[in-house]
Amino acid sequence: MSGKTLIESYEKAAYPVGGNGPRDIQVLKEAFDEVSGSLESDMYGSGKVIEEFQDKMAAYLGKASAVFFPSGTMAQQIALRIWCDEKGIKRVAYHPLCHLEIHEQDGMKELHHIEPVLLADKDRLITLADVQQLGEDISCLLLELPQREIGGQLPAFEELEAISAYCREQGIKLHLDGARLFEITPYYQKTAAEICALFDSVYVSFYKGIGGIAGAILAGDPGFTEQSKIWKRRHGGDLISLYPYIVSSEYYFDLRIGKMAQYYEEAKELAALYNACEGVSTVPEVPVSNMFHVHFRLPEERIAPILSGVIGATGVGLTAWLRHTGESSCSFEISIGDRYAGVPKDKLHDAFRLLDEEMKKAAVNL
């Protein structure tokens, strides 16, 4: 990661480019601003506030049933456990950079003793051919849409349909890591329900593009979700009340679900500005959702001062951090939300003119 200077500079930026805004207590206060103080809380998974939201999300995702979870980590481990138990094979397949593999301290393996089969090279998407060439039986295949760690790439919808059909023929359950599902509907020109129809179970997040404080939905058929409630209790996720997460999830879902096409178009606009700069490129070159990765052909110790300088000169904050990717390269991830529309276009273009100039100077001085 980059040093403190870039972070401090970004915190003072008048026009941060990414996200929906600071993750402070105001996020929760705003969600509750018009909620009646007499609204009854949920109690251990029951009650109007949780049941109505679960029904609303089940309908939106085109599934018969849905369960609200405090975290996606919990929801997905439980989904895979249910499918493994049903088939009697404790083996699942997913991408080498799947969240369960690199961000969960081996929770699936340690808690559920499920063995992963890693499909595809880490730098590309899983294909139908990868699934067809599996050398061992699995209970479930997990697909992440978009594949975050490689820039938020997406397969063609026809490829998804082919993978789904093959899994059903082979008796393999197909689970969707849809943490950013809402954000990909503009690219596919499909509803969330049309995408989810290809999958046996679906997880979605409410703190990413939606911008709630936390929370997730796990959806599928009633037999599946009833089992997930039992596992939710076993995992300690059946809190006496989850209404702070539910109320904020619903508030920001209603507020932002209609903006996903706007975020997508803005992401494409921003990526084009990056790709026009010397020594800068994006993955994907043309984004397929509101998020993408920005790559620099210089190390972070040289890029951080440049980005801090851009903030100081224009007030435009492009990022607060950088990730080391090699001796002469670094990158960062950007997700477009409400903030982007508030950046004055003249300031934005000034920032990219300056970035391009500084990158050209740095290239000459290599």
Side-chain angles (χ1 to χ4, degrees), residues 49-333:
V49 68
I50 189 170
E51 291 168 5
E52 288 190 350
F53 185 60
Q54 289 173 164
D55 290 345
K56 176 177 178 175
M57 293 315 305
Y60 189 84
L61 298 172
K63 295 299 182 187
S65 182
V67 179
F68 189 87
F69 279 80
S71 83
T73 296
M74 182 186 299
Q76 294 209 106
Q77 289 185 23
I78 286 171
L80 298 184
R81 175 61 186 264
I82 291 169
W83 296 136
C84 285
D85 285 351
E86 180 178 294
K87 192 162 184 179
I89 299 173
K90 284 208 165 183
R91 194 159 47 246
V92 300
Y94 50 58
H95 192 272
L97 299 181
C98 173
H99 194 280
L100 286 96
E101 187 68 15
I102 66 173
H103 290 305
E104 298 181 13
Q105 299 294 315
D106 289 336
M108 182 190 73
K109 304 168 193 174
E110 296 294 331
L111 297 177
H112 297 283
H113 308 292
I114 295 173
E115 174 190 348
V117 177
L118 305 184
L119 284 187
D121 181 83
K122 65 182 180 62
D123 296 319
R124 68 168 175 83
L125 295 167
I126 292 172
T127 66
L128 174 61
D130 294 317
V131 184
Q132 291 173 329
Q133 292 165 17
L134 268 167
E136 48 197 326
D137 290 337
I138 59 170
S139 297
C140 179
L141 169 64
L142 179 151
L143 294 181
E144 179 185 356
L145 304 179
Q147 195 73 52
R148 176 194 177 186
E149 298 292 339
I150 54 173
Q153 296 182 48
L154 285 171
F157 195 75
E158 293 75 16
E159 182 83 358
L160 281 181
E161 291 179 311
I163 291 173
S164 176
Y166 179 79
C167 285
R168 287 178 179 166
E169 290 170 6
Q170 300 299 314
I172 299 170
K173 296 297 184 180
L174 189 58
H175 172 77
L176 172 59
D177 178 343
R180 295 167 176 80
L181 169 66
F182 306 126
E183 295 92 318
I184 67 173
T185 54
Y187 173 76
Y188 279 140
Q189 290 293 291
K190 303 286 184 183
T191 66
E194 287 172 325
I195 298 169
C196 292
L198 303 178
F199 295 83
D200 298 289
S201 56
V202 177
Y203 142 69
V204 294
S205 170
F206 292 100
Y207 79 84
K208 295 180 173 67
I210 295 299
I213 59 170
I217 278 284
L218 185 62
D221 63 44
F224 170 82
T225 54
E226 284 305 308
Q227 289 185 69
S228 79
K229 291 178 182 179
I230 296 170
W231 278 107
K232 179 181 170 188
R233 176 66 63 91
R234 289 168 175 165
H235 269 250
D238 210 8
L239 309 187
I240 184 171
S241 295
L242 287 166
Y243 69 87
Y245 306 107
I246 298 164
V247 169
S248 75
S249 294
E250 183 163 27
Y251 174 81
Y252 289 107
F253 175 84
D254 291 342
L255 181 69
R256 295 188 173 121
I257 194 63
K259 296 182 180 182
M260 294 300 158
Q262 171 192 322
Y263 300 157
Y264 171 50
E265 293 302 321
E266 290 169 339
K268 290 190 288 184
E269 176 183 273
L270 183 62
L273 291 172
Y274 275 114
N275 285 309
C277 292
E278 178 74 23
V280 187
S281 60
T282 68
V283 177
E285 180 178 356
V286 179
V288 292
S289 72
N290 72 321
M291 65 89 68
F292 56 92
H293 289 185
V294 179
H295 291 261
F296 296 95
R297 291 190 288 277
L298 285 173
E300 56 186 309
E301 61 268 20
R302 299 197 62 186
I303 293 298
I306 291 175
L307 295 175
S308 293
V310 169
I311 295 171
T314 68
V316 176
L318 298 177
T319 186
W321 59 274
L322 294 166
R323 175 182 295 161
H324 175 84
T325 57
E327 290 186 6
S328 59
S329 63
C330 61
S331 70
F332 71 88
E333 179 180 295

